[in-house]
Amino acid sequence: GGVSLELQPELYQLLAPEQPALERRLAGCSDVASFLPELKELLDTVAGAPAASHGSAPGAGAMAGLVRELEEVGWDRVVSLDETFTDITLSVPDAARRPHAL
């Protein structure tokens, strides 16, 4: 099978209008490492690049959701995280166990 995705309710609501695009991108990926850049691009589009460029920290609800997501992914995969939680780099191994920063 392909990659499947489970989202927190807040993230699901944010991505709901983009569900067809998300499903197309998900169907075209064979593993998590190849899907994460696609997901990041879609999230950047939905969230709007100008908001991210201001460097403002997310609200408490968004922060709690982000922490839950990072706990699910695993804190050991976090390579870097800025003080406003707007720039996160994760390390994801490919099938050959080579790490890739996303």
Side-chain angles (χ1 to χ4, degrees):
V3 175
S4 65
L5 184 66
E6 291 184 25
L7 303 172
Q8 294 293 325
E10 297 89 358
L11 188 54
Y12 180 82
Q13 287 178 350
L14 179 67
L15 290 174
E18 302 297 325
Q19 187 173 355
L22 182 62
E23 288 175 0
R24 280 192 309 274
R25 291 176 182 209
L26 192 59
C29 295
S30 59
D31 58 28
V32 173
S34 63
F35 177 68
L36 286 177
E38 297 285 337
L39 179 60
K40 181 183 181 319
E41 182 181 321
L42 189 59
L43 286 170
D44 286 346
T45 301
V46 170
S53 68
H54 290 129
S56 60
M63 183 70 69
L66 177 61
V67 169
R68 282 192 303 271
E69 293 289 331
L70 288 173
E71 286 173 351
E72 288 182 29
V73 169
W75 285 100
D76 58 320
R77 294 185 186 262
V78 177
V79 174
S80 68
L81 178 65
D82 74 347
E83 66 274 358
T84 63
F85 285 76
T86 56
D87 188 23
I88 302 170
T89 303
L90 301 174
S91 178
V92 179
D94 62 17
R97 297 182 183 231
R98 295 175 297 217
H100 296 276
L102 306 171

XYZ file of all heavy atoms in Angstrom:
751
model
N 0.753 -1.193 0.000
C 0.000 0.000 0.000
C 0.799 1.265 0.000
O 2.011 1.274 0.159
N 0.093 2.332 -0.128
C 0.713 3.651 -0.143
C 0.797 4.236 1.241
O 0.709 3.553 2.244
N 0.941 5.509 1.288
C 1.048 6.248 2.529
C -0.359 6.614 2.990
O -1.205 6.974 2.190
C 1.881 7.534 2.289
C 1.911 8.399 3.526
C 3.285 7.180 1.838
N -0.609 6.510 4.293
C -1.886 6.961 4.840
C -1.598 8.085 5.816
O -0.485 8.219 6.313
C -2.645 5.824 5.525
O -1.922 5.375 6.649
N -2.602 8.898 6.086
C -2.401 10.085 6.905
C -3.535 10.217 7.901
O -4.698 10.137 7.538
C -2.363 11.312 5.979
C -2.075 12.657 6.599
C -0.654 12.696 7.148
C -2.235 13.751 5.550
N -3.168 10.403 9.183
C -4.137 10.689 10.230
C -3.814 12.071 10.759
O -2.662 12.374 11.041
C -4.038 9.658 11.351
C -4.497 8.284 10.937
C -4.481 7.294 12.086
O -4.586 7.727 13.253
O -4.372 6.115 11.806
N -4.830 12.925 10.885
C -4.618 14.311 11.283
C -5.381 14.647 12.553
O -6.454 14.100 12.806
C -5.099 15.254 10.174
C -4.482 15.071 8.796
C -5.214 15.935 7.786
C -3.010 15.414 8.832
N -4.828 15.569 13.318
C -5.542 16.135 14.451
C -6.724 16.923 13.892
O -6.673 17.418 12.758
C -4.623 17.063 15.250
C -3.483 16.342 15.929
C -3.974 15.427 17.036
O -4.944 15.723 17.732
N -3.307 14.298 17.195
N -7.812 17.076 14.655
C -9.001 17.776 14.146
C -8.715 19.181 13.606
O -9.263 19.563 12.570
C -9.935 17.835 15.358
C -9.525 16.670 16.197
C -8.038 16.520 15.992
N -7.849 19.938 14.269
C -7.557 21.302 13.822
C -6.886 21.292 12.452
O -7.202 22.091 11.570
C -6.647 22.029 14.826
C -7.264 22.210 16.201
C -6.981 21.041 17.138
O -6.340 20.044 16.731
O -7.418 21.124 18.299
N -5.928 20.393 12.272
C -5.224 20.297 11.000
C -6.150 19.764 9.912
O -6.106 20.215 8.774
C -3.992 19.405 11.142
C -3.040 19.348 9.964
C -2.583 20.735 9.546
C -1.845 18.473 10.291
N -7.025 18.829 10.270
C -7.992 18.296 9.311
C -8.890 19.416 8.788
O -9.136 19.514 7.589
C -8.829 17.191 9.962
C -9.844 16.615 9.013
C -9.472 15.644 8.084
C -11.163 17.048 9.008
C -10.386 15.124 7.189
C -12.088 16.537 8.120
C -11.697 15.574 7.211
O -12.610 15.071 6.326
N -9.381 20.278 9.699
C -10.242 21.386 9.280
C -9.495 22.349 8.362
O -10.050 22.843 7.385
C -10.773 22.138 10.491
C -11.830 21.370 11.245
C -12.321 22.094 12.481
O -11.752 23.087 12.900
N -13.392 21.578 13.065
N -8.231 22.600 8.666
C -7.425 23.498 7.843
C -7.244 22.924 6.434
O -7.304 23.650 5.450
C -6.054 23.718 8.497
C -5.077 24.611 7.748
C -5.586 26.055 7.730
C -3.705 24.547 8.379
N -7.061 21.604 6.343
C -6.795 20.967 5.055
C -8.050 20.487 4.325
O -7.963 20.071 3.177
C -5.845 19.783 5.247
C -4.412 20.147 5.608
C -3.614 18.894 5.926
C -3.748 20.935 4.501
N -9.209 20.553 4.971
C -10.444 20.043 4.361
C -10.709 20.600 2.959
O -11.033 19.829 2.050
C -11.637 20.279 5.280
N -10.538 21.903 2.715
C -10.790 22.413 1.359
C -9.787 21.879 0.325
O -10.064 21.887 -0.867
C -10.631 23.933 1.501
C -10.757 24.218 2.949
C -10.277 22.996 3.654
N -8.657 21.412 0.790
C -7.612 20.907 -0.101
C -7.593 19.380 -0.173
O -6.636 18.789 -0.672
C -6.237 21.412 0.365
C -6.127 22.907 0.423
C -6.293 23.554 -0.939
O -5.858 22.972 -1.950
O -6.868 24.660 -0.991
N -8.642 18.729 0.322
C -8.670 17.275 0.383
C -8.412 16.595 -0.960
O -7.616 15.660 -1.016
C -9.973 16.775 1.003
C -9.942 15.275 1.241
C -11.154 14.793 2.015
O -11.981 15.577 2.463
N -11.247 13.503 2.188
N -9.017 17.031 -2.068
C -8.717 16.371 -3.346
C -7.230 16.458 -3.716
O -6.633 15.472 -4.139
C -9.584 17.111 -4.355
C -10.712 17.677 -3.547
C -10.093 18.015 -2.218
N -6.632 17.635 -3.531
C -5.204 17.794 -3.833
C -4.364 16.944 -2.892
O -3.389 16.303 -3.305
C -4.799 19.262 -3.725
N -4.739 16.910 -1.618
C -4.016 16.105 -0.634
C -4.081 14.625 -0.996
O -3.056 13.928 -0.959
C -4.607 16.344 0.758
C -3.951 15.619 1.918
C -2.500 16.058 2.077
C -4.717 15.881 3.206
N -5.242 14.151 -1.378
C -5.395 12.742 -1.749
C -4.586 12.399 -2.997
O -3.983 11.328 -3.075
C -6.871 12.398 -1.937
C -7.624 12.355 -0.621
C -9.115 12.128 -0.795
O -9.592 12.002 -1.942
O -9.804 12.089 0.242
N -4.555 13.313 -3.990
C -3.742 13.079 -5.192
C -2.264 12.974 -4.839
O -1.560 12.095 -5.313
C -3.943 14.209 -6.216
C -5.191 14.089 -7.045
C -5.174 15.067 -8.223
N -4.878 16.442 -7.841
C -5.777 17.332 -7.428
N -7.043 16.981 -7.333
N -5.418 18.567 -7.121
N -1.798 13.909 -4.015
C -0.388 13.902 -3.630
C -0.049 12.670 -2.800
O 1.007 12.064 -2.969
C -0.037 15.171 -2.863
C -0.065 16.397 -3.751
C 0.195 17.647 -2.976
N 0.126 18.814 -3.841
C 0.810 19.919 -3.636
N 1.623 20.026 -2.621
N 0.688 20.929 -4.461
N -0.941 12.292 -1.919
C -0.737 11.113 -1.079
C -0.688 9.850 -1.928
O 0.172 8.984 -1.731
C -1.864 11.029 -0.037
C -1.709 10.060 1.111
C -0.457 10.360 1.916
C -2.929 10.139 2.018
N -1.571 9.746 -2.908
C -1.613 8.566 -3.776
C -0.343 8.430 -4.610
O 0.063 7.320 -4.956
C -2.831 8.631 -4.695
N 0.301 9.552 -4.916
C 1.500 9.517 -5.739
C 2.779 9.239 -4.975
O 3.854 9.184 -5.564
N 2.690 9.046 -3.661
C 3.888 8.830 -2.841
C 3.935 7.395 -2.327
O 2.930 6.834 -1.937
C 3.877 9.786 -1.657
S 4.009 11.511 -2.155
N 5.125 6.837 -2.349
C 5.289 5.452 -1.910
C 5.696 5.335 -0.450
O 5.590 4.258 0.130
C 6.329 4.751 -2.785
O 7.578 5.433 -2.693
N 6.181 6.427 0.139
C 6.593 6.372 1.540
C 6.470 7.754 2.173
O 6.224 8.747 1.502
C 8.016 5.829 1.684
C 9.041 6.646 0.920
O 8.825 7.862 0.731
O 10.055 6.077 0.521
N 6.651 7.795 3.487
C 6.495 9.041 4.238
C 7.514 10.084 3.800
O 7.188 11.254 3.653
C 6.614 8.769 5.756
C 6.624 10.062 6.546
C 5.479 7.882 6.221
N 8.757 9.660 3.574
C 9.808 10.604 3.202
C 9.475 11.341 1.909
O 9.765 12.528 1.772
C 11.150 9.885 3.069
N 8.849 10.669 0.971
C 8.504 11.336 -0.286
C 7.234 12.180 -0.149
O 7.028 13.114 -0.924
C 8.336 10.311 -1.418
O 7.270 9.439 -1.154
N 6.393 11.887 0.847
C 5.159 12.643 1.025
C 5.351 13.927 1.833
O 4.683 14.918 1.577
C 4.093 11.778 1.697
C 2.826 12.531 1.980
C 2.016 12.960 0.934
C 2.451 12.832 3.269
C 0.853 13.676 1.174
C 1.289 13.551 3.521
C 0.495 13.966 2.469
N 6.270 13.939 2.793
C 6.411 15.099 3.664
C 6.680 16.405 2.923
O 6.073 17.428 3.262
C 7.462 14.845 4.739
C 7.002 13.893 5.843
C 8.120 13.627 6.829
C 5.780 14.423 6.564
N 7.545 16.435 1.909
C 7.702 17.701 1.173
C 6.400 18.143 0.494
O 6.110 19.334 0.408
C 8.785 17.395 0.132
C 9.527 16.219 0.665
C 8.518 15.441 1.454
N 5.629 17.170 0.007
C 4.329 17.487 -0.610
C 3.384 18.090 0.423
O 2.691 19.071 0.152
C 3.706 16.220 -1.208
C 4.502 15.593 -2.316
C 4.388 16.363 -3.618
O 3.415 17.104 -3.816
O 5.309 16.213 -4.442
N 3.351 17.496 1.615
C 2.488 17.994 2.683
C 2.926 19.389 3.114
O 2.093 20.276 3.302
C 2.498 17.040 3.878
C 1.647 17.455 5.072
C 0.180 17.593 4.685
C 1.815 16.449 6.205
N 4.226 19.602 3.251
C 4.742 20.915 3.641
C 4.335 21.976 2.619
O 3.893 23.062 2.982
C 6.255 20.902 3.802
C 6.803 22.255 4.241
C 8.292 22.247 4.323
C 8.878 23.560 4.781
N 8.299 24.771 4.268
N 4.471 21.654 1.347
C 4.088 22.607 0.295
C 2.604 22.949 0.388
O 2.209 24.112 0.285
C 4.419 22.022 -1.073
C 4.091 22.955 -2.216
C 4.413 22.338 -3.570
O 5.433 21.650 -3.693
O 3.616 22.550 -4.499
N 1.777 21.938 0.590
C 0.338 22.162 0.697
C 0.010 22.980 1.942
O -0.801 23.915 1.885
C -0.397 20.824 0.719
C -1.911 20.878 0.602
C -2.330 21.559 -0.701
C -2.485 19.478 0.649
N 0.656 22.689 3.058
C 0.426 23.462 4.286
C 0.877 24.909 4.123
O 0.208 25.826 4.599
C 1.147 22.818 5.463
C 0.527 21.537 5.994
C 1.461 20.866 6.983
C -0.831 21.798 6.617
N 2.012 25.113 3.457
C 2.477 26.477 3.199
C 1.455 27.239 2.369
O 1.184 28.410 2.616
C 3.826 26.470 2.474
C 4.977 26.081 3.383
O 4.794 26.070 4.622
O 6.058 25.767 2.847
N 0.881 26.566 1.375
C -0.117 27.192 0.514
C -1.375 27.538 1.302
O -1.890 28.654 1.207
C -0.486 26.254 -0.657
O 0.696 25.979 -1.395
C -1.536 26.869 -1.556
N -1.854 26.589 2.112
C -3.079 26.794 2.892
C -2.868 27.860 3.964
O -3.707 28.729 4.165
C -3.535 25.464 3.528
C -4.656 25.692 4.521
C -3.998 24.501 2.451
N -1.731 27.788 4.646
C -1.460 28.725 5.740
C -1.114 30.108 5.219
O -1.288 31.091 5.925
C -0.327 28.197 6.608
N -0.613 30.177 3.989
C -0.235 31.464 3.409
C 1.179 31.832 3.809
O 1.478 31.978 4.980
N 2.051 31.944 2.857
C 3.456 32.255 3.111
C 3.655 33.575 3.854
O 4.515 33.662 4.706
C 4.231 32.239 1.794
N 2.877 34.647 3.589
C 3.127 35.901 4.298
C 3.005 35.775 5.811
O 3.779 36.346 6.536
C 2.054 36.855 3.746
C 1.721 36.304 2.398
C 1.873 34.803 2.546
N 2.055 34.996 6.312
C 1.904 34.843 7.756
C 3.140 34.192 8.360
O 3.611 34.581 9.416
C 0.657 34.013 8.075
N 3.693 33.195 7.678
C 4.879 32.516 8.195
C 6.089 33.426 8.169
O 6.956 33.330 9.013
C 5.138 31.255 7.375
N 6.155 34.330 7.217
C 7.334 35.177 7.100
C 7.410 36.237 8.186
O 8.457 36.804 8.415
C 7.376 35.830 5.717
O 6.325 36.755 5.588
N 6.313 36.520 8.865
C 6.340 37.511 9.929
C 6.960 36.970 11.199
O 7.274 37.733 12.099
C 4.915 38.034 10.236
C 4.367 38.879 9.147
N 3.138 38.651 8.607
C 4.881 39.940 8.475
C 2.908 39.545 7.651
N 3.957 40.330 7.554
N 7.125 35.649 11.301
C 7.776 35.058 12.454
C 6.946 35.089 13.720
O 7.480 34.992 14.803
N 5.631 35.238 13.604
C 4.804 35.251 14.799
C 4.540 33.826 15.258
O 4.375 32.919 14.458
C 3.482 35.975 14.525
O 2.785 35.327 13.495
N 4.529 33.655 16.555
C 4.321 32.330 17.127
C 2.869 31.908 16.955
O 1.968 32.746 16.961
C 4.694 32.334 18.604
N 2.631 30.600 16.803
C 1.248 30.117 16.705
C 0.523 30.296 18.032
O 1.153 30.390 19.083
C 1.417 28.640 16.348
C 2.820 28.286 16.696
C 3.610 29.555 16.674
N -0.818 30.320 17.976
C -1.623 30.438 19.181
C -1.530 29.184 20.038
O -0.967 28.165 19.639
N -2.116 29.247 21.218
C -2.030 28.135 22.168
C -2.627 26.849 21.600
O -2.054 25.772 21.769
C -2.728 28.515 23.472
N -3.763 26.954 20.916
C -4.392 25.757 20.342
C -3.528 25.132 19.267
O -3.349 23.915 19.229
N -2.963 25.970 18.407
C -2.089 25.473 17.353
C -0.827 24.871 17.957
O -0.323 23.849 17.501
C -1.743 26.590 16.373
N -0.300 25.519 18.987
C 0.908 25.023 19.648
C 0.647 23.655 20.275
O 1.463 22.740 20.137
C 1.360 26.015 20.716
C 2.635 25.622 21.412
S 4.073 25.744 20.364
C 4.177 27.509 20.201
N -0.483 23.498 20.930
C -0.818 22.210 21.540
C -0.944 21.128 20.467
O -0.475 20.004 20.650
C -2.116 22.324 22.344
N -1.571 21.480 19.344
C -1.692 20.530 18.236
C -0.337 20.158 17.667
O -0.078 18.996 17.367
N 0.537 21.144 17.536
C 1.879 20.894 17.025
C 2.649 19.966 17.960
O 3.304 19.023 17.518
C 2.626 22.218 16.851
C 4.067 22.125 16.383
C 4.158 21.475 15.009
C 4.695 23.504 16.354
N 2.558 20.212 19.254
C 3.248 19.361 20.225
C 2.714 17.932 20.139
O 3.497 16.979 20.146
C 3.119 19.933 21.659
C 3.584 18.932 22.697
C 3.901 21.228 21.774
N 1.400 17.769 20.006
C 0.829 16.412 19.868
C 1.359 15.727 18.612
O 1.708 14.547 18.637
C -0.700 16.473 19.834
C -1.344 16.669 21.181
C -2.854 16.422 21.139
N -3.536 17.279 20.174
C -4.025 18.482 20.443
N -3.905 18.987 21.647
N -4.646 19.180 19.512
N 1.408 16.477 17.505
C 1.915 15.911 16.251
C 3.382 15.500 16.400
O 3.796 14.435 15.939
C 1.767 16.905 15.095
C 0.344 17.201 14.710
C -0.345 16.039 14.013
O 0.324 15.243 13.342
O -1.573 15.941 14.144
N 4.190 16.355 17.034
C 5.607 16.036 17.214
C 5.788 14.843 18.145
O 6.697 14.032 17.951
C 6.374 17.248 17.734
C 6.573 18.370 16.718
C 7.193 19.590 17.382
C 7.418 17.898 15.543
N 4.910 14.701 19.140
C 4.979 13.526 20.017
C 4.684 12.255 19.232
O 5.313 11.231 19.450
C 4.013 13.682 21.191
C 4.518 14.671 22.219
C 3.517 14.980 23.310
O 2.341 14.566 23.212
O 3.914 15.658 24.272
N 3.729 12.331 18.296
C 3.407 11.169 17.466
C 4.551 10.828 16.522
O 4.891 9.664 16.333
C 2.126 11.410 16.669
C 0.881 11.374 17.522
C -0.371 11.578 16.699
O -0.382 11.225 15.501
O -1.350 12.083 17.262
N 5.152 11.845 15.909
C 6.266 11.637 14.986
C 7.480 11.142 15.756
O 8.222 10.279 15.291
C 6.601 12.947 14.229
C 7.906 12.831 13.471
C 5.466 13.314 13.294
N 7.686 11.713 16.922
C 8.830 11.363 17.762
C 9.790 12.532 17.865
O 10.268 13.041 16.853
N 10.039 12.962 19.076
C 10.934 14.091 19.298
C 12.346 13.774 18.819
O 13.114 14.686 18.501
C 10.938 14.478 20.777
C 9.678 15.198 21.170
C 8.603 14.664 21.805
C 9.355 16.568 20.931
N 7.631 15.626 21.970
C 8.069 16.805 21.450
C 10.033 17.619 20.320
C 7.449 18.042 21.389
C 9.416 18.853 20.264
C 8.132 19.059 20.796
N 12.691 12.496 18.752
C 14.029 12.113 18.286
C 14.229 12.454 16.807
O 15.359 12.506 16.329
C 14.282 10.627 18.526
C 13.262 9.738 17.835
O 12.062 10.074 17.832
O 13.672 8.693 17.307
N 13.158 12.708 16.074
C 13.257 13.071 14.654
C 13.405 14.577 14.437
O 13.652 15.025 13.332
C 12.044 12.568 13.884
C 11.984 11.053 13.844
C 10.847 10.601 12.966
N 10.684 9.179 13.030
C 11.163 8.340 12.131
N 11.840 8.792 11.110
N 10.960 7.046 12.257
N 13.235 15.372 15.504
C 13.359 16.820 15.388
C 14.837 17.189 15.324
O 15.594 16.920 16.243
C 12.670 17.548 16.561
C 12.868 19.059 16.456
C 11.189 17.201 16.608
N 15.236 17.789 14.200
C 16.619 18.217 14.005
C 16.781 19.648 14.508
O 17.740 19.974 15.196
C 17.026 18.126 12.514
C 18.399 18.709 12.278
C 16.946 16.692 12.033
N 15.833 20.510 14.153
C 15.877 21.894 14.619
C 14.460 22.436 14.747
O 13.544 21.972 14.074
C 16.703 22.764 13.676
O 16.049 22.899 12.434
N 14.321 23.425 15.614
C 13.030 24.034 15.900
C 13.299 25.456 16.365
O 14.013 25.657 17.341
C 12.324 23.225 16.993
C 10.988 23.667 17.517
C 9.932 23.590 16.427
C 10.575 22.774 18.681
N 12.756 26.454 15.639
C 13.017 27.832 16.061
C 12.127 28.217 17.237
O 11.188 27.498 17.587
C 12.891 28.808 14.891
C 11.462 29.076 14.465
O 10.553 28.337 14.889
O 11.253 30.016 13.699
N 12.448 29.336 17.855
C 11.755 29.747 19.086
C 10.290 30.086 18.864
O 9.506 30.081 19.807
C 12.490 30.914 19.762
C 12.499 32.209 18.974
C 13.643 32.294 17.953
O 14.469 31.378 17.869
O 13.681 33.279 17.223
N 9.882 30.372 17.636
C 8.477 30.679 17.366
C 7.705 29.466 16.840
O 6.523 29.573 16.541
C 8.351 31.826 16.339
O 8.924 31.415 15.102
C 9.004 33.097 16.843
N 8.370 28.333 16.730
C 7.765 27.093 16.236
C 7.233 27.233 14.812
O 6.320 26.528 14.414
C 6.637 26.614 17.165
C 7.134 26.000 18.439
C 7.611 26.789 19.466
C 7.138 24.632 18.608
C 8.071 26.241 20.633
C 7.600 24.069 19.784
C 8.069 24.871 20.801
N 7.792 28.156 14.037
C 7.347 28.311 12.654
C 8.279 27.621 11.679
O 7.945 27.456 10.515
C 7.233 29.801 12.268
O 8.483 30.443 12.499
C 6.140 30.489 13.060
N 9.470 27.214 12.143
C 10.436 26.541 11.281
C 10.925 25.290 11.988
O 11.656 25.376 12.978
C 11.607 27.479 10.957
C 12.542 26.888 9.919
O 12.107 26.020 9.145
O 13.717 27.294 9.890
N 10.476 24.137 11.500
C 10.814 22.846 12.104
C 11.477 21.986 11.043
O 10.980 21.879 9.927
C 9.556 22.122 12.630
C 8.833 22.990 13.666
C 9.911 20.762 13.211
C 7.477 22.469 14.053
N 12.586 21.375 11.402
C 13.252 20.440 10.503
C 13.216 19.061 11.152
O 13.602 18.904 12.311
C 14.716 20.856 10.238
O 14.730 22.180 9.719
C 15.381 19.913 9.253
N 12.728 18.069 10.391
C 12.661 16.694 10.875
C 13.602 15.819 10.064
O 13.829 16.077 8.886
C 11.235 16.142 10.725
C 10.124 16.895 11.444
C 8.774 16.303 11.077
C 10.330 16.859 12.934
N 14.110 14.783 10.687
C 14.928 13.797 9.992
C 14.067 12.556 9.770
O 13.521 11.996 10.717
C 16.158 13.430 10.825
O 16.908 12.444 10.164
N 13.940 12.158 8.502
C 13.128 10.993 8.153
C 13.987 10.049 7.328
O 14.539 10.449 6.300
C 11.880 11.417 7.347
C 11.048 10.208 6.964
C 11.053 12.411 8.131
N 14.108 8.789 7.774
C 14.915 7.836 6.999
C 14.139 7.304 5.796
O 12.929 7.153 5.837
C 15.192 6.729 8.006
C 14.038 6.770 8.956
C 13.608 8.216 9.015
N 14.881 7.037 4.723
C 14.259 6.401 3.553
C 14.337 4.894 3.724
O 14.725 4.383 4.784
C 14.879 6.888 2.248
C 16.347 6.558 2.124
O 16.856 5.679 2.865
O 17.013 7.180 1.279
N 13.943 4.145 2.699
C 13.918 2.681 2.776
C 15.296 2.097 3.080
O 15.405 1.029 3.674
C 13.361 2.094 1.481
N 16.354 2.785 2.663
C 17.729 2.316 2.912
C 18.264 2.878 4.245
O 19.464 2.780 4.501
C 18.635 2.722 1.768
N 17.390 3.464 5.047
C 17.719 4.032 6.353
C 18.671 5.226 6.279
O 19.363 5.540 7.240
C 18.271 2.966 7.294
C 17.256 1.887 7.582
C 17.797 0.886 8.549
N 16.829 -0.171 8.741
C 16.421 -0.579 9.918
N 16.881 -0.056 10.994
N 15.544 -1.562 9.990
N 18.703 5.891 5.131
C 19.482 7.127 5.017
C 18.613 8.271 5.524
O 17.450 8.384 5.124
C 19.875 7.370 3.554
C 20.814 6.328 2.998
C 21.033 6.585 1.548
N 19.751 6.432 0.866
C 19.578 5.905 -0.337
N 20.617 5.514 -1.033
N 18.388 5.801 -0.872
N 19.147 9.120 6.399
C 18.338 10.227 6.926
C 18.176 11.351 5.900
O 19.093 11.634 5.132
C 19.148 10.705 8.133
C 20.558 10.326 7.815
C 20.481 9.066 6.981
N 16.995 11.952 5.903
C 16.700 13.104 5.050
C 16.069 14.182 5.913
O 15.119 13.911 6.640
C 15.735 12.713 3.916
C 16.313 11.708 2.980
N 17.115 12.064 1.934
C 16.227 10.355 2.965
C 17.489 10.962 1.282
N 16.969 9.917 1.897
N 16.585 15.376 5.841
C 16.037 16.506 6.609
C 14.898 17.135 5.816
O 15.061 17.458 4.646
C 17.134 17.523 6.892
N 13.768 17.296 6.453
C 12.583 17.895 5.828
C 12.088 19.039 6.697
O 12.134 19.010 7.855
C 11.475 16.869 5.674
C 11.832 15.594 4.938
C 10.714 14.598 5.063
C 12.079 15.905 3.493
